[in-house]
Amino acid sequence: MIRVLLADDQHLVREALAALLGLEPDLEVVGQVGRGDEVAGAVARFRPDVVLLDIEMPGLDGLSAAAGLTGVRVIILTTFGRPGYLRRAMDAGVSGYVVKDARAGELADAVRRVHAGERVFDRKLSAASLSAGSNPLTGRERDVLRAANEGGTIADIARRLYLSDGTVRNYLSSAIGKLGARNRAEAARTAESKGWL
């Protein structure tokens, strides 16, 4: 039996996935969590072979949760088919990336293949990721742009990130320039649409 842990903040989606995977004779859903910051503890408690992680969850996003896991294979299962997310998932060391509009049989097959040591990535998204290029933003530019997207003044962002006002302005200016945007809101929208935030 392949032991599977599900991590998705939508209870109905989690239950539906558990029911579908439970129909497979060689798959067993051993645990479910609804927050990203619960994943590491659940992996230690349930000892799954494969973890299916959504990207956007409270507490900790799925990509960050995946980066913190060792000794288990991870598949990102998400509605967000953004090229930047795929690249970040690969950087986090995941073994698979499947979009939620895949058929149930495809998901079960992906779990089996990842368990067997293969890497499984959505083909269309892989092609889009290659054509989109790499994320031009540095980690700190992403942090500042993400904080700017949440709202507030330069001073608010600086306090939140423990930076000076001038440093925040410099990071925002750099991010806006790299993305060819007119302002920080447009830069944030562009980066978010590509999965870079």
Side-chain angles (χ1 to χ4, degrees):
M1 287 294 260
I2 301 172
R3 298 168 56 83
V4 179
L5 173 71
L6 298 175
D8 193 301
D9 63 329
Q10 296 178 351
H11 185 75
L12 184 60
V13 171
R14 247 188 0 258
E15 290 295 323
L17 287 170
L20 286 170
L21 293 174
L23 296 173
E24 300 293 328
D26 58 338
L27 303 180
E28 177 186 9
V29 176
V30 295
Q32 301 178 37
V33 296
R35 296 177 53 91
D37 54 3
E38 296 173 339
V39 173
V43 166
R45 184 169 56 253
F46 296 114
R47 300 170 43 102
D49 300 305
V50 177
V51 178
L52 292 177
L53 281 177
D54 189 17
I55 288 181
E56 293 199 358
M57 292 186 288
L60 187 68
D61 70 82
L63 297 172
S64 299
L69 297 177
T70 57
V72 65
R73 300 192 196 289
V74 176
I75 298 174
I76 295 294
L77 178 63
T78 185
T79 55
F80 300 104
R82 297 177 181 153
Y85 279 166
L86 174 59
R87 190 173 298 276
R88 287 174 53 203
M90 292 175 78
D91 290 344
V94 305
S95 299
Y97 192 106
V98 179
V99 291
K100 285 183 180 173
D101 66 356
R103 292 189 173 100
E106 292 175 58
L107 177 59
D109 183 55
V111 171
R112 289 182 189 102
R113 290 173 58 198
V114 163
H115 180 258
E118 292 181 46
R119 294 173 61 90
V120 178
F121 295 97
D122 181 89
R123 289 179 190 205
K124 290 179 187 173
L125 192 55
S126 296
S129 180
L130 288 173
S131 66
S134 61
N135 184 348
L137 302 173
T138 66
R140 210 48 164 152
E141 288 167 346
R142 283 194 309 270
D143 293 342
V144 170
L145 201 52
R146 192 177 297 117
N149 198 29
E150 293 169 4
T153 65
I154 296 289
D156 294 334
I157 296 166
R159 271 193 304 279
R160 220 175 317 156
L161 298 177
Y162 305 102
L163 298 171
S164 71
D165 292 5
T167 300
V168 168
R169 280 190 198 90
N170 288 341
Y171 281 130
L172 283 174
S173 177
S174 178
I176 290 167
K178 286 179 179 179
L179 297 175
R182 292 179 301 216
N183 54 48
R184 68 184 187 179
E186 185 178 302
R189 278 193 306 274
T190 299
E192 195 168 49
S193 73
K194 294 183 179 286
W196 293 338
L197 285 189

